[in-house]
């Protein structure tokens, strides 16, 4: 492939055999290279602004993680219906583990298989973070050293295969949108929002960390949705961005209207001001979203500044953003990246240029508000303690290390920490307008006699998980009833795919399905 004229050879290194052409080479001053300079050769990184198949995506992510092994690693959060690994890549100072007081961020792309701009952007972003870190970019090094960043380029690799069969620029509005079960993944999460709208007038009702309704498990559940839900629980994410296509706007919860008969009704969360801060950060850094022109893509939202409440746009239940906000500590935005769902390759570079700064700016927002530890009188961390802010009816909880992250806009607040079996501690804080990092607010709680105290908002830590079968639920078992071989063992033909199946899934229609047959021979 010819070297793209728009790339700078000094920032995206490749070997001479790959044909890097530097149009400014004759204008540069020749610098002598000493033997000492060759001792530490800078690893090469070359971003190709092309569409990536599943196997291409896996190769690029693993190659990037290997190149930046000290700050990056790949891992699978689960498997798609057809057995493909849902591969994520992480960037942090300590890959593979949560570091206390280090906030966690995630981007999810390609939730709808035919909306591919986000998929490619996250592949590019992974390479960019690795390259710039190695090149000594102080902003990127600071970001990675103080943040744990997770990128899931494709939540729906099966749907992408179906969409890619028609090719870029020719894909219809819905071809490949659904997963291999014909499920819309952004309608397949537990509907917690309708329950919130029912109980919101009850003064003591909890509007956060809501349990998954038992009735949810009776429906058809996609393995991709189940994998993401378990991922949400296993990592204490602070902010998330879900990348979509079809318009040019940023939307935020709630996505389900507070009135069941109103399809376009403004339905804010208790954290409306925080969500406004987040969406405005992304839009302000995006040159086209912030454009006031009505003739551009997404011009319908120019009078709203490229921002809209999800339910005010159109109401739907079972969305990932609402579930993330109501079930975990994480604030999730829906980022619509353009009017074309499957753009052609010659558009990908401009899409990257328009979104690169916005994506980085949103990641940096995890360092706003307050953070700290909740510990007992002996300095032991208290997990699942609740951090509440007066006037905001949405609490967040501490993690395994007793650390917490509470997003807030600048201002004065009364913040409390409490846990079952401990006293409640309240503090008054002020966040200056120009404060660009989270303020440190720690709490030390004293043990109390549970019999002599009422805990209105705090319950024993297992009460909301007692009837929740998420960790035991396997949606792959829904493929069908496993057949019995002559030896009495279950076959994988209709049941759960064997562990090695994901390696063949990247072959598309050439997958050796005959290997799954068990005829007793």
């Amino acid at each position: 492939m010819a070297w793209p004229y728009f790339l700078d050879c000094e920032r995206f290194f490749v070997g001479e055999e790959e044909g890097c052409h530097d149009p400014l080479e004759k204008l540069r001053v020749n610098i002598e290279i000493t033997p000492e300079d060759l001792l530490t050769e800078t690893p090469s990184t070359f971003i190709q602004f092309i569409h990536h198949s599943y196997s291409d995506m896996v190769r690029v992510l693993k190659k990037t993680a290997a190149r930046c092994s000290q700050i990056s690693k790949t891992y699978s959060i689960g498997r798609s219906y057809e057995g493909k690994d849902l591969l994520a890549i992480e960037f942090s100072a300590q890959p593979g583990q949560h570091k206390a007081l280090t906030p966690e961020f995630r981007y999810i792309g390609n939730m709808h298989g035919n909306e591919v701009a986000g998929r490619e952007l996250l592949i590019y972003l992974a390479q960019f973070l690795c390259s710039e870190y190695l090149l000594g970019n102080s902003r990127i090094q600071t970001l990675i050293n103080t943040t744990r960043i997770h990128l899931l380029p494709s939540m729906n690799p099966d749907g992408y295969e179906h969409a890619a069969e028609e090719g870029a620029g020719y894909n219809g509005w819905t071809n490949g949108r659904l997963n291999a079960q014909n499920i819309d993944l952004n309608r397949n999460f537990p509907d917690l929002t309708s329950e919130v709208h029912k109980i919101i007038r009850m003064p003591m009702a909890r509007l956060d960390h809501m349990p998954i309704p038992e009735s949810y498990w009776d429906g058809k559940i996609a393995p991709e949705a189940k994998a993401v839900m378990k991922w949400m629980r296993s990592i204490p994410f602070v902010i998330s961005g879900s990348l979509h296509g079809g318009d040019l706007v940023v939307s935020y919860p709630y996505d389900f209207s507070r009135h069941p008969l109103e399809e376009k009704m403004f339905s804010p969360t208790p954290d409306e001001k925080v969500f406004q801060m987040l969406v405005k950060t992304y839009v302000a850094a995006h040159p086209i979203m912030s454009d006031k022109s009505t003739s551009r893509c997404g011009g319908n939202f120019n009078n709203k500044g490229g921002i809209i409440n999800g339910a005010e746009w159109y109401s739907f239940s079972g969305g990932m953003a609402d579930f993330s906000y109501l079930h975990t500590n994480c604030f999730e935005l829906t980022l619509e990246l353009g009017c074309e769902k499957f753009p052609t390759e010659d558009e990908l570079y401009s899409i990257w240029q328009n979104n690169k700064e916005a994506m980085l700016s949103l990641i940096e927002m995890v360092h706003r508000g307050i953070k700290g530890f909740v510990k007992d009188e002996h300095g032991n961390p208290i997990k699942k303690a609740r951090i509440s802010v007066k006037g905001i009816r949405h609490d967040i909880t501490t993690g395994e290390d007793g650390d917490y992250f509470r997003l807030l806009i600048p201002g004065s607040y009364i913040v409390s920490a409490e846990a079952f079996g401990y006293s409640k501690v309240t503090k008054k804080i002020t966040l200056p307008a120009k404060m660009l990092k989270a303020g440190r607010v720690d709490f030390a709680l004293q043990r109390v006699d549970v019999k002599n105290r009422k805990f209105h908002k705090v319950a024993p830590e297992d009460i909301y998980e007692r009837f929740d079968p998420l960790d035991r639920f396997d949606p792959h078992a829904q493929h069908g009833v496993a057949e019995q071989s002559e030896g009495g063992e279950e076959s994988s033909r209709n049941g759960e795919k064997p562990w090695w199946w994901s390696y063949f899934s990247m072959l598309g229609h050439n997958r050796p399905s005959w290997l799954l047959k068990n005829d007793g021979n």
Side-chain angles (χ1 to χ4, degrees), residues 177-352:
R177 174 185 176 91
L178 311 179
N179 79 337
Q181 291 171 284
N182 290 321
I183 294 176
D184 188 328
L185 298 182
N186 206 28
R187 308 292 187 275
N188 196 233
F189 285 80
D191 175 20
L192 305 180
T193 324
S194 59
E195 183 65 20
V196 165
H197 294 329
K198 292 177 185 176
I199 65 175
I200 194 168
R201 296 185 182 278
M202 300 169 58
M204 300 309 298
R206 285 174 53 174
L207 304 183
D208 55 80
H209 298 86
M210 300 180 65
I212 297 175
E214 292 184 59
S215 59
Y216 172 74
W217 306 106
D218 297 331
K220 192 176 182 181
I221 302 172
E224 297 89 347
K226 176 249 186 181
V228 168
M229 286 191 286
K230 292 187 71 172
W231 190 35
M232 289 178 176
R233 278 195 183 173
S234 63
I235 297 174
F237 293 111
V238 180
I239 300 177
S240 171
S242 177
L243 281 60
H244 291 253
D247 221 312
L248 193 64
V249 67
V250 179
S251 69
Y252 61 94
Y254 294 124
D255 283 322
F256 188 51
S257 173
R258 57 184 175 180
H259 194 292
L261 300 180
E262 293 289 341
E263 294 185 357
K264 296 179 180 292
M265 185 177 189
F266 178 63
S267 304
T269 68
D271 282 290
E272 168 71 11
K273 292 181 180 179
V274 173
F275 275 113
Q276 283 283 333
M277 175 182 67
L278 298 179
V279 295
K280 288 178 179 178
T281 297
Y282 197 93
V283 170
H286 193 292
I288 302 180
M289 280 188 184
S290 55
D291 183 7
K292 301 297 183 181
S293 172
T294 57
S295 59
R296 66 167 176 82
C297 166
N300 295 331
F301 302 99
N302 73 319
N303 62 332
K304 294 182 176 293
I307 298 166
I308 193 167
N309 172 257
E312 187 178 9
W313 186 9
Y314 63 91
S315 176
F316 67 91
S317 61
M320 184 168 66
D322 283 10
F323 175 80
S324 177
Y325 177 70
L326 292 173
H327 190 69
T328 72
N329 290 330
C330 186
F331 291 58
E332 182 166 302
L333 307 182
T334 300
L335 311 172
E336 299 282 348
L337 302 176
C339 292
E340 272 193 89
K341 287 179 176 285
F342 205 132
T344 56
E345 285 191 346
D346 59 355
E347 299 174 274
L348 293 177
Y349 177 70
S350 60
I351 294 174
W352 162 250

Side-chain angles (χ1 to χ4, degrees), residues 52-72:
H52 294 80
S53 66
Y54 178 77
S55 57
D56 291 337
M57 177 187 72
V58 170
R59 186 185 68 254
V60 170
L61 294 181
K62 290 190 174 182
K63 184 178 179 181
T64 301
R67 181 174 295 118
C68 290
S69 58
Q70 74 276 23
I71 58 165
S72 181

Side-chain angles (χ1 to χ4, degrees), residues 455-472:
F455 295 86
H456 296 295
K457 297 176 65 178
V458 183
E461 62 181 33
D462 67 335
I463 193 170
Y464 279 88
E465 300 175 359
R466 191 173 299 159
F467 305 106
D468 190 345
L470 178 59
D471 292 332
R472 300 184 301 274

Side-chain angles (χ1 to χ4, degrees), residues 379-392:
N380 301 313
I382 303 175
K383 68 176 182 178
K384 296 189 178 180
R386 300 181 68 84
I387 306 298
S388 57
V389 180
K390 186 177 181 180
I392 302 178

Side-chain angles (χ1 to χ4, degrees), residues 21-40:
H21 170 67
D22 184 356
L24 302 180
E25 181 178 7
K26 295 182 179 180
L27 301 179
R28 303 186 193 280
V29 178
N30 291 328
I31 301 176
E32 292 185 3
I33 304 298
T34 64
E36 290 76 10
D37 295 327
L38 299 176
L39 292 178
T40 55

